[in-house]
Amino acid sequence: MNICVIGTGYVGLVTGCVFSDLGNEVICVDKDADKVAMLCRGEMPIYEPGLEELVKRNVEDGRLSFSGDLAEAVRHSDVVFICVGTPPLENGDPDMSYVQDAAKSIASALNRYKVIVNKSTVPVGTGNMVREIIEINRRQNVDFDVVSNPEFLREGSAIKDTLEPDRIVIGAPNQVVAMKILELYAPLERPMLITDVASAEMIKYASNAFLATKISFINSVANICEAVGADILQVIKGMGYDHRIGAAFLNAGLGYGGSCFPKDSSALARTAQKHGYDFKLLNAVMDVNRDQPIRFLDRMRSAVGGSFQGKTVGVLGLAFKPNTDDMRDAKSVEIIGALLAEGANIKTYDPIAMDNTRRIFPQICYTHNAYEAAEDADVLVIITEWNEFKLLNMERVKTLMNTPMIFDGRNIYDPIKLRRLGFEYHCIGRATAAQK
Ligand code: NAD
C-alpha cells in the first residue's frame, strides 16, 4: 500500500519505518525542514534504540523516503496517517492546531479516495472534526474516510512496541474501511479491536489515565510506607504477584512525566469537566503527581541543612525515562529549576539527553560521566534510572563527593549496601531499610 505519514516525531517516524519494513511504500512528511534534511542525510532527529538501522535498511530498499512536500505525498498515497503533536495548552486541553493544519493540507491535496488515520492522541470528537475540515476545504469532490488508530508505543522501546503491540485499536465508521487498516496491520499477527471512532479515541486516554493512576497510587502507598516503617519494594512485589493487579507501572519514584501521561490525564479531566462530570479520581492522581517531586525536594532541603544556597548538587539522569532523549515534562526540569532558584550549583550527567537539556538549562555544568557529576557534590540526586547508574562503583563515588549523601528518586540502590559504605542514603518509601 502507498502510505503517507504526517509528522516524523517519535510516533510518525517509527510508524513510517515499521510500515515500510512490512513492505509498504511510505513517505514521511514533516513541516520542519531541518528534520527532513537530517533524515534525508540518514541522521536521526530523535534517539530511539534500533531506529537508525531500520531507517537505513528501508531507505536503501527504496520503500521509505522523507519529504517536506505534504501535498505531493498525500496525492501519492492510499492511506494518510496523522502523527503530529498535540501538546498541552495552559488550560490542560490539547493544542489541536497541528491536527487541524494537517487536515486542511490533506483536504487541499485530496485527489482520489483515501483513508485518513488519526494516530495522534486526540479528544473524543476529533474524528468528526477532521472529517468536517476536509469536507469544507477539499478542492475536488472525492470521497474519504476518517479512522482513529491510537498509538500505544513507549519511547525507549518504540520499535518493539510497534512490531509487537499488546493490541491494535481501529475506530472506523464502517467495516469496509476498518478492514483496509486491519490489512495493514495483519502481518504483525497481534490482537485487534475494531470499534467506533469515539470509543477508539477514548481507549487511548483511558489507558494512559489508568497507568497514571497506578503510578500515583503506588507513590501514595510509598509515602505512607515511609511514615509507618514498611518497605515499598516488598509491598510492590507482594502486590505485583497478584495477576489482577500486575507489577507493571507499580514503581514508586518521583512520579510520571514525559510527553503523554501528564498531558493525556489533564486532557481527559478537561473532557469530563466540559461534559459536566467532575473526574475526582483523576484530579487526585494529578495532585499526587504534582506533589511527589515537591516532597522529595523538601526532604532533600532538610537533609542539607535547610537551604540549597551555595550547595553543589550532582544530578544523574535528565531524560523523562531511560533510553530516550525526550525532555518533555521530565522530572529533572522541575527539580533542577527549583534547585537553581534556591541557589544551588548543578553538575549533571545523562548518557543521551544532555544536548536537549542544554537548550533548557544552558547555565548548568554538563559532565562526561556520572563520576564527574558526583565530584565535589554535597548531594547526589538520581532522577532517571539509566542502567549504567545502577552499576557505578559506589566506593569511588563516595571518595569523590564532598558529602556522601544520595537522594535516589528511583530506588535503584540497595539501602543496606549504601549505608554500609558510609552514605547517607534517602530513597522513596523504604523506611524499614532506612532504620536497619
Ligand atoms: P513529536 O512532537 O515528536 O512529533 C510531531 C511532529 O509533527 C514534529 O516533527 C512536527 O514538526 C510535525 N508536524 C506538526 N505539524 C505538522 C504538519 N502540519 N505537517 C507536517 N508535520 C507536522 O510528537 P510525538 O511524540 O511523535 O507525538 C505525536 C502524537 O502521538 C501526539 O498526539 C502524542 O500524544 C501521541 N503519542 C505519543 C507517544 C510518545 O511516546 N511520544 C506515544 C503514543 C502517542
Side-chain angles (χ1 to χ4, degrees):
M1 232 181 271
N2 288 337
I3 296 174
C4 163
V5 176
I6 303 178
T8 60
Y10 291 87
V11 168
L13 187 51
V14 173
T15 300
C17 280
V18 167
F19 279 134
S20 61
D21 214 44
L22 294 177
N24 300 286
E25 195 181 311
V26 180
I27 308 176
C28 288
V29 184
D30 207 289
K31 64 173 186 180
D32 181 337
D34 290 342
K35 259 189 193 179
V36 174
M38 276 182 88
L39 285 161
C40 290
R41 289 196 300 271
E43 295 166 20
M44 297 303 105
I46 53 167
Y47 173 77
E48 191 58 46
L51 184 62
E52 194 168 344
E53 297 79 350
L54 195 63
V55 168
K56 191 168 179 277
R57 184 167 77 228
N58 284 288
V59 168
E60 279 172 5
D61 290 352
R63 288 187 299 268
L64 178 64
S65 60
F66 302 100
S67 167
D69 188 346
L70 190 149
E72 182 52 35
V74 168
R75 277 196 287 270
H76 193 70
S77 55
D78 309 304
V79 179
V80 180
F81 281 87
I82 300 178
C83 301
V84 299
T86 47
L89 294 168
E90 283 279 308
N91 65 5
D93 281 336
D95 181 350
M96 296 302 293
S97 61
Y98 302 99
V99 173
Q100 288 160 344
D101 287 352
K104 279 182 203 153
S105 306
I106 294 168
S108 5
L110 207 64
N111 56 339
R112 57 185 161 81
Y113 174 80
K114 293 176 203 302
V115 184
I116 318 301
V117 186
N118 211 341
K119 217 175 217 329
S120 297
T121 303
V122 290
V124 175
T126 302
N128 287 339
M129 182 192 81
V130 166
R131 159 161 281 287
E132 279 165 23
I133 291 175
I134 298 177
E135 267 167 5
I136 294 167
N137 292 283
R138 70 188 152 173
R139 295 193 183 141
Q140 296 176 43
N141 192 21
V142 286
D143 203 8
F144 67 95
D145 278 300
V146 179
V147 168
S148 167
N149 170 220
E151 180 53 59
F152 300 97
L153 66 77
R154 296 161 300 173
E155 288 174 24
S157 53
I159 292 170
K160 185 173 183 298
D161 289 349
T162 308
L163 287 168
E164 298 165 26
D166 288 343
R167 77 301 206 186
I168 293 152
V169 175
I170 300 169
N174 59 63
Q175 284 293 320
V176 178
V177 62
M179 287 306 145
K180 211 170 161 81
I181 302 306
L182 188 143
E183 202 186 304
L184 263 181
Y185 283 107
L188 299 180
E189 296 182 7
R190 305 301 293 178
M192 297 206 208
L193 173 70
I194 294 177
T195 182
D196 59 283
V197 175
S199 302
E201 290 168 339
M202 182 55 93
I203 285 168
K204 174 65 191 176
Y205 279 111
S207 300
N208 274 2
F210 184 76
L211 294 173
T213 303
K214 273 188 106 174
I215 295 170
S216 278
F217 180 86
I218 206 65
N219 278 332
S220 300
V221 175
N223 296 341
I224 306 169
C225 283
E226 278 166 22
V228 301
D231 182 347
I232 191 65
L233 259 57
Q234 298 299 312
V235 175
I236 289 168
K237 254 191 202 161
M239 289 173 67
Y241 284 135
D242 185 331
H243 70 269
R244 295 169 305 174
I245 299 173
F249 286 84
L250 278 190
N251 291 322
L254 296 169
Y256 58 80
S259 68
C260 292
F261 287 3
K263 105 174 147 59
D264 296 349
S265 302
S266 58
L268 182 56
R270 287 280 298 167
T271 299
Q273 193 188 27
K274 282 180 201 160
H275 289 80
Y277 180 68
D278 180 8
F279 201 153
K280 291 195 180 83
L281 177 61
L282 190 53
N283 290 330
V285 164
M286 293 189 284
D287 286 347
V288 169
N289 199 57
R290 217 169 289 128
D291 289 347
Q292 202 63 5
I294 298 171
R295 279 177 61 92
F296 189 72
L297 278 164
D298 287 346
R299 286 171 58 202
M300 196 156 67
R301 193 182 300 99
S302 312
V304 298
S307 164
F308 292 117
Q309 184 63 45
K311 299 283 179 199
T312 299
V313 182
V315 174
L316 296 189
L318 296 163
F320 90 90
K321 67 173 189 177
N323 295 321
T324 182
D325 59 350
D326 197 344
M327 290 297 296
R328 289 177 287 185
D329 251 310
K331 291 292 159 188
S332 63
V333 176
E334 233 170 299
I335 289 174
I336 292 174
L339 290 168
L340 286 175
E342 294 183 43
N345 307 309
I346 308 289
K347 294 178 77 183
T348 189
Y349 174 69
D350 184 286
I352 299 287
M354 291 201 288
D355 284 346
N356 285 348
T357 314
R358 267 194 195 94
R359 291 184 206 123
I360 308 168
F361 296 119
Q363 71 274 48
I364 65 175
C365 170
Y366 295 89
T367 65
H368 297 97
N369 56 53
Y371 298 106
E372 264 185 39
E375 211 170 332
D376 299 325
D378 296 300
V379 53
L380 188 65
V381 185
I382 316 296
I383 298 189
T384 316
E385 65 276 35
W386 285 94
N387 271 339
E388 66 174 79
F389 300 153
K390 298 177 186 165
L391 304 170
L392 292 178
N393 176 341
M394 297 312 285
E395 287 185 38
R396 183 171 164 207
V397 169
K398 187 178 167 236
T399 58
L400 290 167
M401 290 183 71
N402 190 24
T403 320
M405 184 191 292
I406 292 187
F407 264 80
D408 180 355
R410 300 295 175 187
N411 286 347
I412 63 171
Y413 298 121
D414 178 349
I416 298 172
K417 264 194 203 152
L418 283 206
R419 289 184 188 121
R420 210 175 276 152
L421 283 175
F423 281 99
E424 182 180 327
Y425 177 68
H426 301 263
C427 47
I428 311 257
R430 308 197 67 191
T432 311
Q435 285 150 14
K436 279 182 185 161

